[in-house]
Amino acid sequence: MNLARGAAIGVVETIPGVSGGTMALVVGIYERLITQAGHLVGAARAVVRPGTGGQGRAARAGTELRRLDWGLLLPVAAGMVLAVVLASQVLPGLIEAHPVGSRAVFLGMVAASVAVPLRITGMLRGVREWALVVTGFVVTFLVSGLPPAAGDGRPPYPLIALAAAVAICALVLPGFSGSFLLLVFGLYEPTLRAVRDLDIAYIAVFGLGAVLGLASFVSLLQWLLEHHRRTLMVVMTGVLLGALRALWPWQDDARGLLAPDPGWYAMLVPALLGAALVVGIMFLERRLEPAAARVGEPDPAPGAGAESETRRLAPVPPADSDAGSDADVTRPLPRITPDGPGRPPAGPPDGPGRG
């Protein structure tokens, strides 16, 4: 079962616009994976922590590694790798043979994904939130319009590592796709080709960047989710909207935008199919949320199962009008706790989130 769950996460991670974190929610292992990531981060910190002797570092790292659920991690990781390898054999050829249709599918997927952060935050409130959306849109629009790296076809290694470090955070943030981020960096097709062709150097640099991102960015991202969750989701809305520029079906080799073909209306079909896939996954996620879920319930006990994992992401009603635009009114997301699974947050789960 865990192998199949990992394969499902791996498949959607190869498709821009579909979040691996969302699929982890659908298959019921999102919170467990977050907890395991916390132990991995704790082990990495123990190894590099200054002022600690070699034996002390090894002991702390060993303690965190012993807390890992290898019966979950190994089959999930194997399923993800198998799915990515199989997808890399199919997707590059399809994209090269049908670039316009492929981008139309991805455009529909990402456009539908905008509903994920909006469903978490509700309606935007105040000038500040609208300004954050516009800023995220403009920055992403400009970055996604940069021409691809020139040279022998392989992007610079620092760019590969940076993209991998950022993309790994998509596993922590439901609604955000790692493949979408690779598309913004212009590394989606090169990465698939590297896996297909077993480009060991590319894969090694990408893997190193992912490990560094897991050790560095995931804890920061979890802190933002805990203290500034609403602001992060508002910014993500603008980023997803700005990324639609990278998925415009008609582009030249330098990622410049072109006018639609005379038969442009035919591309509405793959775009709508892509949007329908994302909407279907979101609908399935909502169906898995227990009907009895209530806002403000305490965090479930460790090992409560998939039902408790989805309950923590139940929608909450809008804030009172006097709460201010900074009020952290979103669906609570689990946090990484490197010192052990199930540790509750220090403060109220639905506090103002002003840091």
Side-chain angles (χ1 to χ4, degrees):
M1 179 61 70
N2 286 333
L3 184 70
R5 288 167 168 167
I9 297 172
V11 167
V12 301
E13 269 300 308
T14 63
I15 304 174
V18 184
S19 167
T22 298
M23 181 54 69
L25 277 170
V26 171
V27 299
I29 58 174
Y30 175 74
E31 187 173 351
R32 294 168 64 191
L33 289 180
I34 292 296
T35 302
Q36 301 307 307
H39 295 320
L40 290 173
V41 171
R45 286 178 174 174
V47 171
V48 301
R49 181 174 295 171
T52 306
Q55 292 183 346
R57 293 181 182 180
R60 289 173 182 253
T63 299
E64 294 294 341
L65 293 177
R66 283 192 295 272
R67 290 173 174 169
L68 291 173
D69 184 358
W70 295 106
L72 171 71
L73 284 181
L74 290 180
V76 168
M80 291 180 64
V81 170
L82 179 62
V84 170
V85 170
L86 292 177
S88 69
Q89 304 298 318
V90 177
L91 288 178
L94 288 176
I95 294 173
E96 292 172 4
H98 307 283
V100 176
S102 300
R103 282 194 290 264
V105 174
F106 299 153
L107 179 72
M109 290 179 173
V110 175
S113 297
V114 177
V116 175
L118 289 179
R119 183 166 66 90
I120 293 174
T121 61
M123 297 298 294
L124 298 177
R125 302 194 305 267
V127 176
R128 173 179 173 273
E129 291 190 353
W130 283 102
L132 288 174
V133 171
V134 172
T135 301
F137 171 84
V138 171
V139 171
T140 309
F141 187 92
L142 295 176
V143 172
S144 62
L146 296 176
D152 60 356
R154 174 183 289 174
Y157 285 138
L159 178 61
I160 297 173
L162 174 63
V166 176
I168 195 67
C169 297
L171 289 174
V172 184
L173 195 59
F176 222 44
S177 167
S179 294
F180 147 75
L181 292 173
L182 293 179
L183 263 176
V184 173
F185 282 100
L187 296 180
Y188 177 66
E189 293 181 60
T191 302
L192 288 178
R193 286 197 297 267
V195 175
R196 180 191 62 187
D197 302 335
L198 291 180
D199 187 338
I200 302 301
Y202 189 110
I203 295 173
V205 173
F206 191 93
L208 177 62
V211 171
L212 293 177
L214 183 66
S216 305
F217 294 160
V218 169
S219 294
L220 172 62
L221 182 58
Q222 285 300 119
W223 182 86
L224 291 173
L225 285 170
E226 181 181 345
H227 296 283
H228 302 283
R229 185 165 54 247
R230 181 177 181 86
T231 298
L232 183 61
M233 293 298 170
V234 169
V235 172
M236 195 175 79
T237 301
V239 170
L240 288 171
L241 290 172
L244 295 177
R245 184 247 180 265
L247 302 174
W248 178 250
W250 299 275
Q251 301 184 25
D252 57 25
D253 293 337
R255 303 179 79 176
L257 302 182
L258 302 176
D261 296 333
W264 63 268
Y265 51 85
M267 291 299 102
L268 291 176
V269 175
L272 291 175
L273 289 176
L277 174 62
V278 175
V279 171
I281 292 175
M282 291 191 293
F283 177 78
L284 180 59
E285 176 198 340
R286 290 297 298 270
R287 293 280 294 182
L288 293 177
E289 292 176 357
R294 292 292 182 267
V295 177
E297 289 183 352
D299 288 346
E307 179 179 345
S308 63
E309 293 168 12
T310 55
R311 183 183 300 123
R312 297 187 63 183
L313 283 93
V316 300
D320 296 336
S321 58
D322 58 350
S325 61
D326 291 337
D328 188 11
V329 182
T330 63
R331 301 188 305 165
L333 292 173
R335 61 181 294 202
I336 282 184
T337 52
D339 296 329
R343 170 176 288 187
D350 292 321
R354 297 175 184 270

